[in-house]
Amino acid sequence: MTIAIEVENLCKHYGEQQAVKGISFTVEQGTLFAFLGANGAGKSTTIEILCTLLKKSSGQVTINGFTLDASNDNGDIRKSIGVVFQQSILDERLTVRENILHRGQTYGLSKTQLTENYQFVSTYLHLDDIEKQKYGTLSGGQKRRADIARALIHRPSILFLDEPTTGLDPQTRQFVWQAIKQLQQKTNMTVFLTTHYMEEAAVAHQVLVLKQGTIVAQGTPDALKTKYAYDSMALIFHNPLKGVRWLEENALSYTEKQGIYTIRLSSTLHALTLLKQAEKLIASFEVIKGSMDDVFLHIMAEEEIA
Ligand code: ATP
């Protein structure tokens, strides 16, 4: 196992404001790592420090084996990472292709290498239809594809993405997200991203949740779901009075809304046992899987599932 990112006791304060309070974590090479937290949790501050754009107050950061050092420009780290922030930094007056090639030249890539790398990013980000268009005339989703392509032109081994799909319509969001996932899976790149979309976090290898500058949860999506979410079953009874009697006789606590009775399951299979027992009473049912949304909401509310 190779460690791509190692963070030890990282702190950042802005004057009196303590934005990041001594966090430690590692990210394995070739994984998708989701960095979550409510607004103001310290995500952007952390990601900007990891990308060498902001000075840490204390702690140690190692990226691709290079230690972040306030006394130099951290060129080795910069060359080995790609960064996409929410605000674009591409030139509106240049075409997508010109923007990306120009960026590649700043890394001193040879002409052959640049052509090869451009072909690579163009394939993954589907640039064919937009490469000759001026960046300033693109839609939000097209701009995002160009932003990611620009960040990848030097073939970094870690890609940092700060809310890559925020503000895009659902279809475009899906398209951009698929491109990110494919890149990660097919090229074994490390992808470190912040997101507010829990369905994106659900496919990450590791998820870390930050709250007010402190890590409050960390693990695989499955482990977090086991700890912070649960499956439930919604039931509609032929005769609600008989249904409630059955629930109470079996000591099943429930909530009721518009004739739909929802009970918590100890596991998905628990539904089968209950359905067999109450088959004659039930007009309709739905088993609802615990989701990453539940995980996030429970963590924020500081609830752990017993
Ligand atoms: P969001 O999801 O809204 O982007 P975040 O998790 O990225 O939030 P940060 O932007 O890192 O959070 O902010 C963490 C805390 O640090 C916040 O309380 C914010 O107000 C504060 N903060 C961030 N930048 C500065 C700054 N330049 N000066 C003073 N305080 C700052």
Side-chain angles (χ1 to χ4, degrees):
M1 172 179 95
T2 310
I3 299 296
I5 302 171
E6 188 164 14
V7 173
E8 265 181 72
N9 210 13
L10 179 67
C11 293
K12 173 71 188 176
H13 50 81
Y14 300 102
E16 295 286 288
Q17 166 83 18
Q18 190 81 40
V20 177
K21 302 171 183 164
I23 62 172
S24 302
F25 61 90
T26 53
V27 179
E28 224 178 287
Q29 175 66 41
T31 58
L32 179 60
F33 190 89
F35 198 56
L36 310 181
N39 294 125
K43 303 180 298 294
S44 300
T45 299
T46 305
I47 207 170
E48 283 178 28
I49 293 171
L50 302 188
C51 295
T52 77
L53 300 172
L54 185 67
K55 282 203 162 61
K56 59 187 164 62
S57 302
S58 61
Q60 177 137 328
V61 174
T62 309
I63 309 278
N64 284 323
F66 303 110
T67 301
L68 193 68
D69 181 354
S71 66
N72 68 44
D73 74 346
N74 295 293
D76 288 332
I77 293 181
R78 286 173 188 239
K79 271 185 229 148
S80 72
I81 63 173
V83 182
V84 182
F85 282 119
Q86 287 173 57
Q87 310 87 331
S88 178
I89 40 171
L90 271 72
D91 191 326
E92 304 256 311
R93 297 157 305 174
L94 298 181
T95 66
V96 169
R97 187 180 166 88
E98 286 164 349
N99 261 301
I100 295 169
L101 291 180
H102 182 258
R103 179 67 182 172
Q105 280 157 2
T106 66
Y107 286 101
L109 299 175
S110 69
K111 210 166 171 221
T112 322
Q113 192 68 62
L114 196 51
T115 310
E116 216 173 89
N117 288 8
Y118 184 83
Q119 197 47 51
F120 166 82
V121 296
S122 172
T123 308
Y124 276 101
L125 279 310
H126 308 274
L127 298 184
D128 280 355
D129 55 333
I130 55 167
E131 66 177 0
K132 296 196 180 79
Q133 213 172 318
K134 286 204 168 53
Y135 183 78
T137 66
L138 300 178
S139 71
Q142 291 170 331
K143 279 187 171 163
R144 196 36 56 103
R145 273 152 60 197
D147 296 340
I148 298 173
R150 175 191 181 273
L152 293 172
I153 190 63
H154 58 302
R155 301 291 310 269
S157 65
I158 306 177
L159 179 62
F160 288 95
L161 300 158
D162 196 8
E163 296 187 31
T165 59
T166 295
L168 304 179
D169 69 63
Q171 196 186 1
T172 311
R173 186 154 81 78
Q174 192 64 16
F175 183 79
V176 170
W177 179 244
Q178 287 306 332
I180 294 169
K181 254 185 22 192
Q182 265 190 17
L183 251 172
Q184 191 278 318
Q185 286 164 357
K186 295 202 173 148
T187 67
N188 202 34
M189 186 186 297
T190 308
V191 175
F192 183 103
L193 84 147
T194 67
T195 181
H196 287 291
Y197 296 105
M198 290 304 117
E199 66 267 36
E200 294 178 355
V203 298
H205 296 98
Q206 281 284 321
V207 174
L208 184 153
V209 187
L210 208 58
K211 190 174 176 183
Q212 294 170 355
T214 303
I215 297 172
V216 286
Q218 190 176 2
T220 62
D222 278 347
L224 292 176
K225 277 193 222 164
T226 306
K227 195 165 176 190
Y228 295 101
Y230 50 83
D231 296 344
S232 56
M233 181 160 62
L235 298 166
I236 298 177
F237 296 111
H238 293 297
N239 180 332
L241 280 178
K242 286 187 183 167
V244 168
R245 197 180 313 139
W246 170 74
L247 289 169
E248 287 172 356
E249 279 167 7
N250 287 278
L252 293 164
S253 56
Y254 63 90
T255 56
E256 186 272 335
K257 209 173 178 186
Q258 295 177 326
I260 300 173
Y261 294 79
T262 303
I263 54 179
R264 184 169 144 185
L265 301 171
S266 54
S267 70
T268 317
L269 286 178
H270 184 201
L272 268 184
T273 322
L274 296 174
L275 288 170
K276 274 186 206 147
Q277 251 184 44
E279 198 179 345
K280 292 207 168 64
L281 298 173
I282 294 169
S284 165
F285 72 93
E286 186 185 2
V287 176
I288 304 151
K289 294 287 290 170
S291 68
M292 280 302 288
D293 276 313
D294 299 332
V295 169
F296 190 75
L297 292 172
H298 284 136
I299 290 172
M300 288 301 135
E302 294 176 24
E303 286 172 23
E304 204 170 290
I305 303 306

